[in-house]
């Protein structure tokens, strides 16, 4: 599932997604999606970006891939596919 989260955020780059949006895409609840996102952040694959201004939305987190993870994804997608033997 962590790979799906990273792929989702990379596909939507540079637009950050909220935890709720990630949960909806994964068809999971927000708490479970948050655990996956926190795991990915701990590993350095994703990061949180600016919180919206306003008192009632302080707990919203928006997520995107880190520049390092994005470079790895782009490098991997540019490699020619090896034929199966």
């Amino acid at each position: 599932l962590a790979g799906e989260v990273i792929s989702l955020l990379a596909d939507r780059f540079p637009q950050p997604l909220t935890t709720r949006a990630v949960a909806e895409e994964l068809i999971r609840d927000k708490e479970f999606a948050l655990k996956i996102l926190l795991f990915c952040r701990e590993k350095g694959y994703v990061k949180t970006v600016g919180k919206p201004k306003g008192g009632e939305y302080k707990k919203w987190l928006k997520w995107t891939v880190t520049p390092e993870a994005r470079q790895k994804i782009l490098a991997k997608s540019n490699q020619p596919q090896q034929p199966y033997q």
Side-chain angles (χ1 to χ4, degrees), residues 37-68:
L37 287 162
L38 291 173
F39 170 80
C40 291
R41 182 173 69 181
E42 181 181 299
K43 298 295 183 185
Y45 299 125
V46 302
K47 65 179 182 174
T48 55
V49 292
K51 293 183 181 182
K53 295 180 174 84
E56 60 187 286
Y57 300 113
K58 286 183 181 176
K59 292 190 178 183
W60 280 25
L61 294 174
K62 289 190 174 185
W63 301 86
T64 190
V65 292
T66 61
E68 297 84 14

Side-chain angles (χ1 to χ4, degrees), residues 3-61:
E4 290 179 34
V5 168
I6 295 165
S7 177
L8 171 65
L9 292 173
D11 289 344
R12 300 288 175 90
F13 186 84
Q15 176 189 8
L17 296 178
T18 62
T19 305
R20 173 187 273 188
V22 172
E24 288 174 0
E25 289 286 334
L26 296 176
I27 311 173
R28 303 284 182 164
D29 61 84
K30 286 190 303 187
E31 291 80 14
F32 185 73
L34 179 61
K35 286 181 183 180
I36 296 170
L37 287 162
L38 291 173
F39 170 80
C40 291
R41 182 173 69 181
E42 181 181 299
K43 298 295 183 185
Y45 299 125
V46 302
K47 65 179 182 174
T48 55
V49 292
K51 293 183 181 182
K53 295 180 174 84
E56 60 187 286
Y57 300 113
K58 286 183 181 176
K59 292 190 178 183
W60 280 25
L61 294 174

